[in-house]
Amino acid sequence: MHVLHGADRGCHAVIVQTQPTTHSLRLGLLMRFGDPLLEQRFLRFYESFYRRYAQASLLLGMVLILGDWLVDRLAFPLVSANSYRITLCLPILVAGLMVSFTQRGREQWQALMATIIVLVGCSLYWILAKIGMQQGSGLASWVGILNYTFFELYCFVILGIGFRYALPTGLVLFLGFEVAILTDLVKELPQSVYWTYHAFTVFLMAAMIGWWREFLLRKEFVAVAELEIATRVAQTQTVFLTGHDALTGLYNLAGFTDVLQREVASAGDQRLQLALLLIDIEPLRRNRGAFNQQLADEMLLTLVERLRQAAHGMEPAPVYARTTSFELAVMFRHVHETSAVAEAAERLLLALRQPLQIYGQSIYLQSTGGLAFYPKDGTTLEGTLKAARVALSMHTDEERFLRFYDSEHDRALAQRLQLENDLRNALAAGQFSVVYQPVLRVADLVPLGFEALLRWEHPVRGAISPVEFMPMIEELGLVHEIGDWILNKACGQAAQWQRDGKMVHEMAVNVSGLQLLDLDFAQKVSRALALSGLQPQYLVLELTESVLVHNNDTAMAQLHALKRLGLRLALDDFGTGFSSMSSITRFPFDIIKLDRSYVQTASTQPAAEAIVDAILAMASRLGMDTVAEGIETEEQLQYVTHRHCVKAQGYWFSKPLSAGEMSLFLFDAA
């Protein structure tokens, strides 16, 4: 039989084969399986078919006895011994058939059938001997050997009893025939030997047929039994895998949810707490790229085993699950003190953070965990799971690898998720707009151009700060769609102002580094210029200092392609990143914009003043224009004027305004 060892606590499903196959049908086991349980199953299988068959065979025997009686009655009417077939053999068969329907007869039907055939056979030998004495076709004739042959085949094949019963029964029939024939032919030894030879040949033939019949039957039974057991094992495994992870044997999310539901109900009845720890093993995903899938699976199994070892001795034992490919869950039951659970959770995480030795290298998987309690952090199963996942998502100090649920953080996260969903639909809903902030020439404060800035008017929350939503645009992969929209909008507005006779020498549009990774970006810019009718020299694309840091070949190629279109490039917020001043010489920039943080503090902080002077001097030597951002006071304006900065922008001149409002700052071209 097959035994399925599954573990609710997460051990592997293992199939152990204990059932003998057809190879177990050796000569020493012709009449019995070595496994008692398998033998019992076979006997039940055998009995379910052959008991009815044996009862039918008794009826057949009665018909044959009556037929022999009738034939002998017609052929030898004066032989009185023939009547013994009716008065002796037939009643034995009738009695055996009746007993076979009783409870005892059903339980011992094979022994009963063997007894009946011995009684009938021995009686018939005596009857045939009597018939021979009365000058009929008796024992020492072909009729006798034919009757014996029928009884041997009847014993081994027709009656259907098992070989272990048929063999001794057939042997008794043979010995009985020998006793009868030797008694009948006591003075005719050659004739006795002749019939003995034929009788023994029949015995061997019938025994071989009977053994082969049962051998095939047992072989068929083994095949059926193995198929049945394999089906049951497959069904059991299917049921097991619906609630368990195939690799680790731990609960999967569905199985873990069922366990949690039961535990939550039990905890509620007993007024106890449950603790749920979610463990992020995301570093395993990053390391998986360096190894093959099999090694990654072995690493995961090692982590699971470490969890078990670290939890050894905890009472009650935690329940484990693999809720996602790279997330493990641990449930602590019957919680009385939250501090004890926190210590246990830290112990588990520390075990996972120990290095794994792979190819002689130490691999550190800095797993983190999120801990939540039922019912404190969630009054339902779903609420507690959500709370643990929120705790796991919290960004804290790296040394804090165990994070606890915080309701304030949960609300902030929910608001952010809602804002992300709203942001995805904002462009199609017409919630975005473009405002313009003028860029003035410092020498005479004449507006030369504008910087196009994106604004979002949320239907519920109102105006959303660009500081809040601009990073989300890149995270959500919306930068290309929204960036293209701003570019077309700004180019179209600049061209419209020029057609209206307004003096617009430049329109600045901010470009993300991600847009430069788009191989078609230069073509998109060219298309925007063509559709708007704006000449390339009036367009300025502003990029941040991150372009200098990464020095990406694709970005560099895009910058040169943009320059070939005839537009200008500006480096925004220079000095706030990590690039050196010498790195700027590798890029084809035309304008450097001083970050507002330096402009607003240069007059009071010597370090900021030194940085501003260095940037302005470098720009002058490289033939670049300079723009001072964030001018908010007269003092700041005078400072950049004295430093010979070319252009400036800021709230001192104007806050960003809509296209209609900005017309007030424009003058007719001279």
Side-chain angles (χ1 to χ4, degrees):
M1 298 179 65
H2 289 75
V3 180
L4 177 66
H5 294 289
D8 291 342
R9 310 247 175 194
C11 62
H12 291 284
V14 180
I15 304 299
V16 180
Q17 181 173 337
T18 60
Q19 173 178 302
T21 61
T22 52
H23 298 296
S24 298
L25 297 175
R26 301 183 300 271
L27 290 178
L29 298 173
L30 290 178
M31 296 178 288
R32 180 182 296 274
F33 286 111
D35 185 347
L37 295 178
L38 189 64
E39 181 67 18
Q40 290 178 11
R41 287 193 60 196
F42 173 74
L43 292 178
R44 288 195 296 270
F45 167 79
Y46 191 94
E47 187 269 345
S48 65
F49 174 77
Y50 275 104
R51 189 170 67 85
R52 300 292 184 187
Y53 183 83
Q55 290 173 331
S57 298
L58 291 180
L59 291 174
L60 174 63
M62 296 178 195
V63 171
L64 293 176
I65 291 293
L66 288 172
D68 286 346
W69 170 80
L70 181 59
V71 169
D72 272 13
R73 179 63 180 265
L74 295 175
F76 304 100
L78 299 179
V79 176
S80 60
N82 182 38
S83 61
Y84 289 121
R85 286 190 170 106
I86 301 297
T87 59
L88 183 58
C89 292
L90 192 61
I92 295 175
L93 292 173
V94 172
L97 181 62
M98 294 177 61
V99 173
S100 69
F101 287 100
T102 64
Q103 179 66 30
R104 188 62 178 272
R106 286 194 295 269
E107 294 174 354
Q108 303 292 333
W109 71 273
Q110 295 203 63
L112 172 66
M113 296 298 167
T115 302
I116 291 172
I117 196 64
V118 167
L119 292 175
V120 172
C122 292
S123 299
L124 189 58
Y125 297 156
W126 179 78
I127 293 170
L128 288 173
K130 287 288 187 181
I131 290 174
M133 293 178 185
Q134 296 179 6
Q135 305 305 314
S137 295
L139 187 65
S141 67
W142 281 107
V143 173
I145 197 65
L146 286 176
N147 274 265
Y148 168 75
T149 301
F150 167 76
F151 268 102
E152 287 291 350
L153 292 174
Y154 191 72
C155 168
F156 282 104
V157 181
I158 300 174
L159 195 59
I161 59 176
F163 186 74
R164 59 177 171 169
Y165 288 96
L167 182 62
T169 302
L171 186 59
V172 168
L173 289 175
F174 169 71
L175 294 176
F177 181 82
E178 282 302 300
V179 170
I181 200 70
L182 291 174
T183 301
D184 189 44
L185 301 176
V186 64
K187 296 181 180 180
E188 301 179 30
L189 184 59
Q191 187 69 12
S192 299
V193 173
Y194 176 76
W195 288 125
T196 298
Y197 164 75
H198 283 288
F200 186 70
T201 302
V202 169
F203 167 75
L204 289 179
M205 179 189 68
M208 291 177 63
I209 294 174
W211 172 81
W212 184 247
R213 176 188 62 84
E214 184 160 329
F215 175 82
L216 294 178
L217 187 64
R218 286 177 177 268
K219 188 175 180 181
E220 178 184 357
F221 169 75
V222 168
V224 172
E226 287 184 337
L227 177 61
E228 176 187 340
I229 293 171
T231 302
R232 290 180 181 177
V233 168
Q235 292 172 345
T236 304
Q237 284 185 307
T238 301
V239 173
F240 180 82
L241 292 177
T242 58
H244 294 78
D245 175 54
L247 174 63
T248 63
L250 302 179
Y251 286 113
N252 58 22
L253 181 58
F256 192 54
T257 300
D258 292 340
V259 174
L260 284 176
Q261 287 175 339
R262 294 195 298 269
E263 293 295 336
V264 163
S266 175
D269 295 339
Q270 302 178 38
R271 297 184 179 180
L272 295 173
Q273 289 191 89
L274 291 177
L276 184 60
L277 174 66
L278 291 184
I279 302 173
D280 179 23
I281 50 175
E282 173 62 25
L284 184 61
R285 184 200 303 271
R286 297 193 295 269
N287 281 276
R288 184 176 62 173
F291 309 108
N292 57 41
Q293 182 63 49
Q294 180 180 359
L295 187 56
D297 291 344
E298 291 177 358
M299 294 169 69
L300 178 58
L301 292 174
T302 300
L303 294 179
V304 171
E305 183 59 29
R306 285 186 178 182
L307 271 182
R308 296 184 180 283
Q309 293 177 358
H312 182 70
M314 292 184 184
E315 291 294 339
V319 178
Y320 308 98
R322 185 187 183 191
T323 49
T324 67
S325 296
F326 299 96
E327 182 182 270
L328 301 176
V330 183
M331 179 183 65
F332 300 94
R333 297 171 290 176
H334 303 171
V335 175
H336 298 283
E337 296 182 4
T338 56
S339 59
V341 173
E343 291 178 4
E346 288 184 346
R347 193 166 88 189
L348 297 183
L349 289 172
L350 282 172
L352 297 186
R353 293 169 75 89
Q354 298 304 309
L356 294 170
Q357 298 299 321
I358 305 297
Y359 298 144
Q361 300 180 8
S362 295
I363 305 298
Y364 290 85
L365 301 178
Q366 301 299 331
S367 302
T368 56
L371 188 62
F373 293 87
Y374 168 87
K376 180 174 72 70
D377 298 328
T379 57
T380 63
L381 164 64
E382 293 77 11
T384 308
L385 271 171
K386 175 180 174 291
R389 189 154 281 118
V390 168
L392 188 61
S393 68
M394 293 173 59
H395 297 286
T396 59
D397 189 344
E398 282 299 321
E399 294 182 358
R400 290 283 307 277
F401 52 83
L402 177 62
R403 302 159 186 174
F404 296 86
Y405 172 72
D406 178 23
S407 58
E408 290 297 327
H409 177 79
D410 189 10
R411 281 191 288 272
L413 181 62
Q415 291 177 357
R416 176 181 171 84
L417 293 176
Q418 183 61 51
L419 197 63
E420 288 180 355
N421 289 332
D422 295 341
L423 184 58
R424 289 186 175 94
N425 303 315
L427 183 60
Q431 298 170 11
F432 285 134
S433 62
V434 178
V435 296
Y436 304 89
Q437 188 174 39
V439 179
L440 292 85
R441 188 164 53 208
V442 174
D444 53 12
L445 300 184
V446 173
L448 298 178
F450 305 89
E451 180 180 0
L453 300 169
L454 181 65
R455 293 294 182 264
W456 180 19
E457 187 70 23
H458 192 277
V460 177
R461 295 179 55 183
I464 306 295
S465 170
V467 176
E468 184 176 0
F469 73 80
M470 288 302 294
M472 295 169 56
I473 287 178
E474 291 196 358
E475 292 175 10
L476 298 176
L478 303 174
V479 65
H480 299 287
E481 180 184 5
I482 296 176
D484 293 347
W485 179 81
I486 298 172
L487 180 65
N488 284 280
K489 193 81 170 177
C491 290
Q493 185 60 64
Q496 183 61 49
W497 276 333
Q498 289 180 344
R499 287 192 293 269
D500 292 342
K502 309 299 182 181
M503 186 176 65
V504 180
H505 291 288
E506 63 183 53
M507 175 61 73
V509 179
N510 290 281
V511 173
S512 167
L514 293 177
Q515 289 176 272
L516 289 183
L517 299 179
D518 182 0
L519 299 179
D520 296 328
F521 181 64
Q523 296 181 6
K524 292 180 179 179
V525 174
S526 177
R527 190 159 49 247
L529 290 170
L531 290 174
S532 65
L534 183 68
Q535 294 301 310
Q537 64 268 25
Y538 297 117
L539 178 62
V540 176
L541 298 183
E542 295 188 2
L543 298 106
T544 62
E545 195 176 349
S546 62
V547 178
L548 304 182
V549 176
H550 296 297
N551 193 17
N552 185 278
D553 292 340
T554 302
M556 182 70 79
Q558 287 289 337
L559 291 177
H560 285 287
L562 292 170
K563 285 292 294 179
R564 287 193 294 271
L565 292 177
L567 51 80
R568 289 176 292 164
L569 300 175
L571 182 60
D572 196 11
D573 299 332
F574 183 67
T576 60
F578 301 97
S579 62
S580 64
M581 287 191 175
S582 62
S583 64
I584 195 174
T585 60
R586 300 193 303 271
F587 294 82
F589 286 106
D590 305 284
I591 304 168
I592 292 180
K593 301 187 74 171
L594 292 117
D595 185 70
R596 68 179 63 245
S597 63
Y598 295 123
V599 172
Q600 293 175 356
T601 60
S603 60
T604 59
Q605 296 182 7
E609 181 181 9
I611 293 175
V612 170
D613 289 343
I615 293 175
L616 291 174
M618 180 192 65
S620 177
R621 293 290 298 272
L622 295 175
M624 297 180 180
D625 281 349
T626 53
V627 180
E629 294 183 296
I631 302 297
E632 297 182 357
T633 65
E634 176 69 24
E635 181 183 7
Q636 294 168 3
L637 176 60
Q638 292 302 321
Y639 177 84
V640 298
T641 302
H642 294 155
R643 294 301 191 279
H644 304 292
C645 187
V646 180
K647 303 171 188 175
Q649 68 182 98
Y651 275 45
W652 178 253
F653 310 112
S654 172
K655 66 179 182 179
L657 300 174
S658 66
E661 296 170 327
M662 191 52 63
S663 297
L664 298 175
F665 289 85
L666 298 176
F667 300 92
D668 293 335

